[in-house]
Amino acid sequence: MEQKRTVLVTGAAGFIGANLVLRLLKDGGWDRIIGVDSLNDYYDVRIKAYRLDRIASEAAGHPDTEWVFVRGNIADKDLVMSLFVQYRPAVVVNLAAQAGVRYSISHPDAYIESNLVGFFNILEACRRSYDGGASGVEHLVYASSSSVYGSNAKVPYSTEDKVDNPVSLYAATKKSNELMAHAYSKLYDIPSTGLRFFTVYGPAGRPDMAYFSFTDKLRAGEPIKIFNYGQCLRDFTYVDDIVEGLVRVMARAPERRTGPDGLPVPPYAVYNIGNSHPENLLEFVDILQQELVAAGVLPADYDFEAHKELVPMQAGDVPVTYADTSALEREFGFRPSTPLREGLRRFARWYKDFYL
Ligand SMILES: NC(=O)c1ccc[n+]([C@@H]2O[C@H](COP(=O)([O-])OP(=O)(O)OC[C@H]3O[C@@H](n4cnc5c(N)ncnc54)[C@H](O)[C@@H]3O)[C@@H](O)[C@H]2O)c1
């Protein structure tokens, strides 16, 4: 029987994962898409259910692609192994993780479980996919983060820079993922690409992120805290741009080669994916305000100034994130380009439809 060409996406009910699955369904080309997600309650699970509903409706219109959703935890090794044996994915995209910098201070265990144990299980399953001479996994793509740059002073951040000084456990787990992937690429010739995402935003995004939580708070008439007195620069990246980058990268795995010692040269790559255009936090809040009013989320006479608190920096946060994306541009002919106003407009409209 012919093998069904399968892609496995972990974190498929998550913000980026769900958008990726929608795009893969629209593009076609896969016989089967397997989505795995534990549906944890780190944030409002209704948003995860909403994303899964959207995927189900999209999948209904694409009968050539089988969509399979598995609710499960990637820290469960037996589950991960059995999924790989049953479905034999050609491409694996690991997006399941405990995200967020601040939560890693109050809930460190969640990061070890999902980001280290979970990622290790994915690597082991990739390794075992070649057992018995099987063609196995052709490409493992996984989410890293701009947080690996810690408080590096040199900007823009380049993948050539040293990233040995994480300032949060979250960042430490993401850097560890890159190190683990390198070792497994070298040892077992697993083609792997890590993508360091820079502050991703968009409709049905993560409620723990500033643009979303600011919106919730302003609606509730609560003050919003603007850290580092607004003197933060963030490279905001619209989710469709991230998905475009993911799709292009998925299609081209780092090449397998043999080195002069007769051993594999690790087919390993890491790229930044960000807007390369950092915005000042105060300007960002200003655009968000305007778009929330334009979308009808907040009234035109809302007293924004009365709801802003300028406060010092928080532990684990960094003052600047700014991506050098020249490598991605050179090798994949792509750079994120959605303007912040456009992206926030789409978020504000979605928010209105979802909550009001
Ligand atoms: N959104 C950003 O700005 C950003 C920036 C840098 C890196 N990232 C990384 O990108 C990836 C996706 O992020 P996102 O913003 O979509 O986050 P998200 O929280 O919306 O999605 C992650 C999904 O993974 C699931 N999950 C968590 N642990 C799991 C486990 N052990 N087993 C199975 N499922 C599990 C969650 O239920 C969630 O639905 C993550 O790895 C994150 O660290 C995101």
Side-chain angles (χ1 to χ4, degrees):
M1 199 183 73
E2 210 183 306
Q3 188 74 44
K4 281 193 169 184
R5 196 154 166 80
T6 300
V7 56
L8 173 79
V9 179
T10 74
F15 173 38
I16 300 171
N19 279 287
L20 175 64
V21 172
L22 285 169
R23 169 72 189 266
L24 295 176
L25 284 165
K26 287 192 181 108
D27 283 359
W30 293 99
D31 298 321
R32 189 162 56 191
I33 303 172
I34 312 293
V36 185
D37 201 297
S38 60
L39 300 179
N40 70 33
D41 63 359
Y42 166 58
Y43 60 77
D44 190 352
V45 268
R46 280 176 308 166
I47 298 181
K48 297 184 185 182
Y50 162 86
R51 297 182 188 128
L52 287 177
D53 283 349
R54 281 196 63 207
I55 294 175
S57 338
E58 188 66 41
H62 301 278
D64 290 347
T65 306
E66 184 189 356
W67 159 243
V68 180
F69 178 71
V70 178
R71 182 174 183 174
N73 189 333
I74 58 163
D76 175 349
K77 192 169 190 176
D78 291 342
L79 171 81
V80 173
M81 290 296 176
S82 68
L83 287 175
F84 275 64
V85 168
Q86 186 178 354
Y87 296 114
R88 305 204 155 279
V91 173
V92 176
V93 185
N94 187 60
L95 300 171
Q98 180 56 56
V101 166
R102 292 177 194 149
Y103 192 70
S104 67
I105 294 171
S106 54
H107 295 79
D109 300 44
Y111 293 76
I112 301 303
E113 178 184 308
S114 295
N115 305 9
L116 295 185
V117 178
F119 189 63
F120 164 70
N121 290 340
I122 296 290
L123 287 172
E124 270 291 295
C126 289
R127 166 194 181 181
R128 294 290 168 209
S129 73
Y130 310 126
D131 282 359
S135 56
V137 173
E138 294 162 17
H139 196 187
L140 166 65
V141 179
Y142 60 95
S144 184
S145 163
S146 60
S147 64
V148 299
Y149 291 104
S151 39
N152 278 10
K154 177 190 152 286
V155 288
Y157 293 154
S158 158
T159 45
E160 304 293 315
D161 300 341
K162 194 166 171 266
V163 286
D164 292 338
N165 302 297
V167 295
S168 68
L169 180 66
Y170 170 64
T173 63
K174 288 294 178 181
K175 174 63 190 170
S176 305
N177 286 172
E178 296 179 2
L179 297 171
M180 292 156 80
H182 188 275
Y184 267 64
S185 287
K186 171 74 179 161
L187 288 168
Y188 310 113
D189 222 5
I190 305 170
S192 77
T193 305
L195 290 173
R196 294 178 179 168
F197 298 145
F198 281 67
T199 321
V200 189
Y201 74 100
R206 280 190 8 228
D208 60 321
M209 293 187 64
Y211 67 100
F212 204 130
S213 67
F214 282 0
T215 304
D216 286 340
K217 288 208 165 76
L218 290 171
R219 247 190 80 218
E222 292 167 17
I224 56 172
K225 285 197 168 67
I226 302 182
F227 293 103
N228 204 25
Y229 307 101
Q231 296 317 306
C232 287
L233 289 173
R234 285 281 175 280
D235 209 343
F236 293 99
T237 318
Y238 189 63
V239 66
D240 289 1
D241 288 332
I242 291 288
V243 167
E244 179 66 35
L246 268 167
V247 167
R248 289 182 188 228
V249 166
M250 283 165 69
R252 220 181 69 208
E255 223 177 297
R256 284 183 166 130
R257 285 182 294 128
T258 305
D261 57 359
L263 293 173
V265 175
Y268 169 89
V270 171
Y271 297 96
N272 284 337
I273 173 160
N275 216 26
S276 254
H277 182 74
E279 307 273 349
N280 175 286
L281 200 52
L282 289 175
E283 278 164 30
F284 154 82
V285 172
D286 204 43
I287 298 175
L288 178 64
Q289 284 173 200
Q290 293 167 22
E291 293 306 326
L292 290 174
V293 169
V297 174
L298 294 173
D301 61 353
Y302 194 92
D303 186 357
F304 288 102
E305 291 316 309
H307 291 88
K308 278 184 211 165
E309 264 180 38
L310 300 179
V311 297
M313 200 67 169
Q314 286 214 126
D317 258 356
V318 294
V320 183
T321 66
Y322 179 2
D324 173 347
T325 55
S326 50
L328 188 81
E329 214 175 319
R330 200 171 50 240
E331 289 175 45
F332 296 93
F334 166 73
R335 68 180 295 176
S337 60
T338 309
L340 184 61
R341 183 177 291 281
E342 178 60 35
L344 287 177
R345 181 167 301 160
R346 291 188 212 162
F347 163 72
R349 287 180 181 160
W350 168 82
Y351 190 98
K352 169 101 173 21
D353 287 348
F354 193 75
Y355 288 108
L356 297 148

